[in-house]
Amino acid sequence: MVIILLGPPGVGKGTQAARLADSEGWEHVSTGDLLRAARRDGTELGKKAQAFMDAGELVPDSLILDLVRDHLKGVAPEAGILFDGFPRTTAQAEKLGGVLKEVRRKVGRVVVFEAPDETLVQRLSGRRSCPDCGAVYNVHLSPPKQEGVCDRCGGKLVHRADDTPETVRHRLEVYQELTQPLIAWYEKSDARVVRVPADGPVDDVQADFRAAVR
Ligand code: AP5
């Protein structure tokens, strides 16, 4: 099964995808995480992406497609895949369709997570992430046991540079302008589009998410 997760910044795509992928052994492909890893590794692509990400703009499609194509080379052809934060533009969706077709696969489900903007801004202002293992916390809602330290690997937690209220508002505008139209785009395709309310507790959202991909 190839599943696409759509939804605005902070809606919980990463949190939900990580849980489902861990329990089912599926591949979780987050282009945001791949880009942050490229930045940490100091690759050319990471350097090119940095200014776009910090400003809350989308990274150019050509860079993203190279990144995804490279990553998919290491994924078993029959593995379940959860795409989180990709595609984000119609051009990316068209290219993904082509890449999947080459390996005789297609998008089976598009899950759209939804929550009010105020919830998203509040969640992102409290988000802390571990750059070493990728674990995500929230200082208001799901804090680590020791402030600033990852429960899972002991790494030093960071507040993402693009999680300031001003940049989050810009990311929301970018989502509405460039990514939200993909919902209608996929509704016209063979894929089944399912909307999941994502403003409840993490466990409830996970239950609805599992029902949506069954
Ligand atoms: P990316 O990292 O993909 O950011 P995003 O899509 O804006 O999504 P977020 O990671 O901010 O949120 P999320 O929905 O995963 O929420 P999370 O689970 O963390 O992209 C960053 C940048 O990279 C982009 O702006 C762009 O520049 C670039 N980029 C990436 N992909 C690209 C692409 N395809 N094309 C072009 N550019 C691209 O949860 C958020 C917080 O809420 C956490 O603290 C969490 O603990 C908490 N939380 C989650 N669920 C709940 C809940 N149910 N109740 C309470 N708290 C919750």
Side-chain angles (χ1 to χ4, degrees):
M1 173 83 97
V2 176
I3 298 163
I4 288 175
L5 275 60
L6 289 178
V11 77
K13 303 180 296 296
T15 301
Q16 297 299 336
R19 277 198 180 200
L20 189 61
D22 279 356
S23 79
E24 300 298 322
W26 290 351
E27 183 74 18
H28 173 193
V29 181
S30 157
T31 41
D33 287 347
L34 292 176
L35 287 165
R36 284 181 285 279
R39 284 175 61 166
R40 273 197 305 281
D41 295 346
T43 66
E44 268 317 299
L45 188 145
K47 287 178 196 156
K48 286 182 188 159
Q50 180 155 354
F52 295 101
M53 295 175 78
D54 288 347
E57 300 289 347
L58 292 189
V59 172
D61 289 339
S62 57
L63 296 181
I64 295 293
L65 290 160
D66 286 349
L67 189 72
V68 171
R69 211 177 278 117
D70 266 11
H71 185 77
L72 289 181
K73 283 181 194 154
V75 174
E78 69 287 355
I81 303 179
L82 287 170
F83 282 110
D84 159 11
F86 174 84
R88 255 169 152 108
T89 61
T90 313
Q92 291 182 15
E94 282 167 352
K95 289 279 185 211
L96 174 64
V99 169
L100 291 175
K101 205 169 179 186
E102 280 168 24
V103 289
R104 295 203 183 84
R105 301 191 71 175
K106 60 180 184 173
V107 174
R109 213 64 106 244
V110 177
V111 180
V112 184
F113 289 113
E114 297 176 318
D117 283 4
E118 315 83 76
T119 305
L120 308 174
V121 175
Q122 198 224 5
R123 281 185 187 172
L124 292 179
S125 71
R127 173 165 62 184
R128 299 294 180 273
S129 326
C130 178
D132 299 332
C133 74
V136 175
Y137 302 85
N138 193 288
V139 292
H140 311 301
L141 306 158
S142 52
K145 292 192 186 87
Q146 192 186 335
E147 195 184 326
V149 180
C150 179
D151 292 348
R152 204 197 285 172
C153 75
K156 190 168 178 278
L157 301 180
V158 297
H159 188 202
R160 276 170 43 179
D162 58 347
D163 276 351
T164 59
E166 193 179 291
T167 309
V168 167
R169 288 209 175 81
H170 184 58
R171 286 162 61 201
L172 287 170
E173 287 164 7
V174 170
Y175 174 78
Q176 271 149 24
E177 186 190 343
L178 298 172
T179 307
Q180 198 159 264
L182 279 181
I183 300 172
W185 193 88
Y186 275 117
E187 277 169 345
K188 287 187 203 130
S189 77
D190 292 345
R192 199 170 127 215
V193 177
V194 187
R195 291 170 192 261
V196 170
D199 50 351
V202 171
D203 289 347
D204 294 0
V205 179
Q206 178 74 192
D208 290 344
F209 180 25
R210 284 174 179 270
V213 300
R214 213 173 280 137

